[in-house]
Amino acid sequence: MTAAEETAREDAPWGEVTPEAARKLLVAAVAAFAERGYHATTTRDIAGRAGMSPAALYIHYKTKEELLHRISRIGHDKALEILQAADASGGAPSERLAEAVRSFVRWHAGRHDTARVVQYELDALSDEHRAEIVGLRRRSDEVVRDILDEGVETGEFDVPDVPGTTVAVLSLCIDVARWFNVAGRRTPDEVGALYADLVLRMVRAQK
């Protein structure tokens, strides 16, 4: 499977968003925000991509910011779900950390447009919505930090600064959304495997 084919498989419809018109507007907004940035995108741009009139957008979303918040909330919920599933998969800390990185990177590569919007447009949210999303990000941080803490306690990891290493691991994974190219030579799975190996080397996982 090529990178483009695997990415297409990952970009499944936003089934949790209903009705269909609201989903189409959200998909259009993701594409526009990823391409032009939140502030450079107008509601007319979004409606045009969805094949609707600008007035139709306001039936489903009161503001452009509300649309960004919906995208960000769904994306951060998914990110947290991925990390929690990896932590619950069982095994030694090194196995769970590798699975967390592998699956987290795979999502950021396979859904790179969505991930770019979710991860890099946080400052465009209102104070209330930003606080909500920051809370979700902290929960994601906690999952990785707890795995690292356990690995240190068992002697499997040599990590003098767990909080700092947590930030480094998540930043490494998230940055994939910025550079991943479907025309590149690596698939999302291959990038995930590479990064999992790099992170285990970084924490000096014992064989």
Side-chain angles (χ1 to χ4, degrees):
M1 182 179 291
T2 66
E5 290 170 338
E6 191 166 331
T7 299
R9 185 184 71 182
E10 282 292 308
D11 280 328
W14 296 67
E16 62 269 76
V17 180
T18 57
E20 177 67 9
R23 189 190 69 81
K24 284 184 177 180
L25 287 164
L26 187 142
V27 170
V30 168
F33 293 158
E35 179 183 320
R36 306 186 61 185
Y38 174 81
H39 292 294
T41 299
T42 66
T43 54
R44 184 176 294 276
D45 293 332
I46 296 168
R49 285 175 183 258
M52 302 179 192
S53 69
L57 186 147
Y58 296 108
I59 296 173
H60 304 284
Y61 303 99
K62 294 178 181 177
T63 64
K64 185 176 70 166
E65 191 273 340
E66 182 181 316
L67 188 49
L68 175 64
H69 172 247
R70 186 76 193 279
I71 294 166
S72 190
R73 178 60 199 247
I74 292 172
H76 278 89
D77 280 341
K78 181 62 177 178
L80 178 58
E81 176 188 321
I82 288 169
L83 292 173
Q84 289 176 330
D87 188 31
S89 63
S94 60
E95 294 171 319
R96 286 164 21 232
L97 180 61
E99 177 57 25
V101 170
R102 188 163 40 243
S103 55
F104 203 50
V105 165
R106 187 179 188 282
W107 185 78
H108 280 80
R111 299 291 296 271
H112 56 282
D113 281 350
T114 299
R116 269 205 306 277
V117 176
V118 167
Q119 300 291 1
Y120 294 113
E121 294 289 0
L122 187 65
D123 288 341
L125 294 171
S126 67
D127 290 344
E128 179 183 357
H129 287 159
R130 189 176 189 279
E132 175 190 332
I133 299 304
V134 167
L136 287 171
R137 291 169 78 98
R138 285 175 178 158
R139 290 174 63 189
S140 290
D141 290 353
E142 288 170 4
V143 174
V144 175
R145 188 167 62 247
D146 288 348
I147 296 174
L148 290 174
D149 275 331
E150 184 179 339
V152 171
E153 290 171 5
T154 62
E156 194 173 0
F157 298 160
D158 182 4
V159 180
D161 182 350
V162 169
T165 303
T166 299
V167 172
V169 169
L170 289 172
S171 296
L172 189 68
C173 297
I174 288 169
D175 193 56
V176 170
R178 183 183 57 79
W179 62 259
F180 185 80
N181 186 341
V182 295
R185 62 188 181 88
R186 286 194 172 100
T187 67
D189 267 338
E190 290 169 340
V191 178
L194 171 64
Y195 275 49
D197 180 65
L198 290 173
V199 167
L200 290 182
R201 291 173 186 272
M202 179 167 53
V203 300
R204 304 175 198 169
Q206 300 299 310
K207 299 295 184 182

